[in-house]
Amino acid sequence: MMNTEAKFNLLNKSADDDDHGHGHDSIADHSNHESAELIGSNVDLLTKILVGLPGKSIFRFKFVSKKWLSLLNHPRFTLLFDKLFISSGLYYHESNVSYDVTNPTTPPFRSLDFYPDTHGIRIVQSCNGLLLCRCDKNVYEYEYEYDGTGNYYVFNPTTKKFALIPPVIGSPDAETLIHFMGLAYHPTECVHYKLVCILRAGHTDLGVKILVRNGKWKKLKKQTFTPLGYTEFRYGVYWNGAFHWAPYCPNPMYLRLDSEQLQDFPLPSTLPVRYGYCRKRPLYFGESRGHLHLVDTIHEKNPSSLNVYEMLKDHSGWFIKYQLDFHELFATYPKMTHTYRTFYGDKFEFIVLDVVRGEEDEDTFMVVKVVDNIKRYNILDKSFQHLCDIPNDNIDQEVEGCYSKAFAKTFHPFVGHRYIEKIGS
């Protein structure tokens, strides 16, 4: 079985042969030439090897021959690559965190300077290789309402392409406030990305709009609603043809994009009793490889024991996929048990940033922030690996009950944004 480096070398050799033909080779190189010719002439085999390479290599190989350019630009190859959902890391505040411990990947970008927005740009959400970004203009004190006069962007960090989103509100002087903006994209289910917007439709009512394929905002009929109590639409996740809001509120819900109908979103029956009150949030809510996860403590007073829940495909309920015990980690880092009060409620010095499902269970892992560093927890063998250090004084700043402008890169202080390579437009 060839390793990645061997495949890469053979591909380079095959590419050279495509452009220059054979030279005077030694007998020792003859077998390599035969292997290279076999790969170069067999499109299926070549595709199978190329699709497993990093996006950076794919773009390099587009320049070696017309034959390879045609193959790598073909929609079939693009779809095969994008469907792999290669999660190479995440963006967390001003840090790019690589998931590969032995060979850390190069960050796809070092700053959000793809568009000359003088107000600065921050990440709102990641979704299957695309980033929803927003300028910092007119962000209100608690950062969950926004007057809509600034720009939103959809950015592909792999290709460096972006789109400027048309304004939701006709007049920049409109009093309507945007409560939420979310991105829905999937290479097979939702090929043309959509944006979901919740905005004020009256004194207490909220309405929903969707940005459809033609680039125009569509107001959903009969989808004006009155939220119960204090409802935050702070963070959302696209999964299984629907957009789901993280359950921070008494009446969690999701929006089916095909029927354009709001539905009640059930919660796991075994969640701690603190749910149902405002400003309470799970430790993690996100999607990976077609699985929707929610992570929380088994008991509110014991933060070292966690349940990883998975949603059933028909949205009828949850089941416990993994049960994790972090007692040893908490013993190593006593500060993890310390709590501090924030605008979002009492928090431990322990944050679940990501749950990444592999093709097999042994490839599944969790990414956690432990006090001042980020670790990878391999779920099957229960081992921890150090990923990077995060200075606390750049993250846990709080000013008069809300988080300060230390979050120059991301919008949500407890959310990391996964980087997935996507070579399609």
Side-chain angles (χ1 to χ4, degrees), residues 223-251:
Q223 293 305 313
T224 299
F225 61 98
T226 303
L228 300 176
Y230 181 82
T231 299
E232 291 185 21
F233 298 97
R234 298 197 59 84
Y235 186 68
V237 175
Y238 173 80
W239 172 75
N240 196 23
F243 197 89
H244 308 74
W245 285 273
Y248 297 161
C249 55
N251 59 329

Side-chain angles (χ1 to χ4, degrees), residues 302-315:
N302 181 14
S304 63
S305 297
L306 306 181
N307 278 338
V308 179
Y309 301 91
E310 182 175 336
M311 169 65 82
L312 296 170
K313 291 291 186 181
D314 62 0
H315 286 87

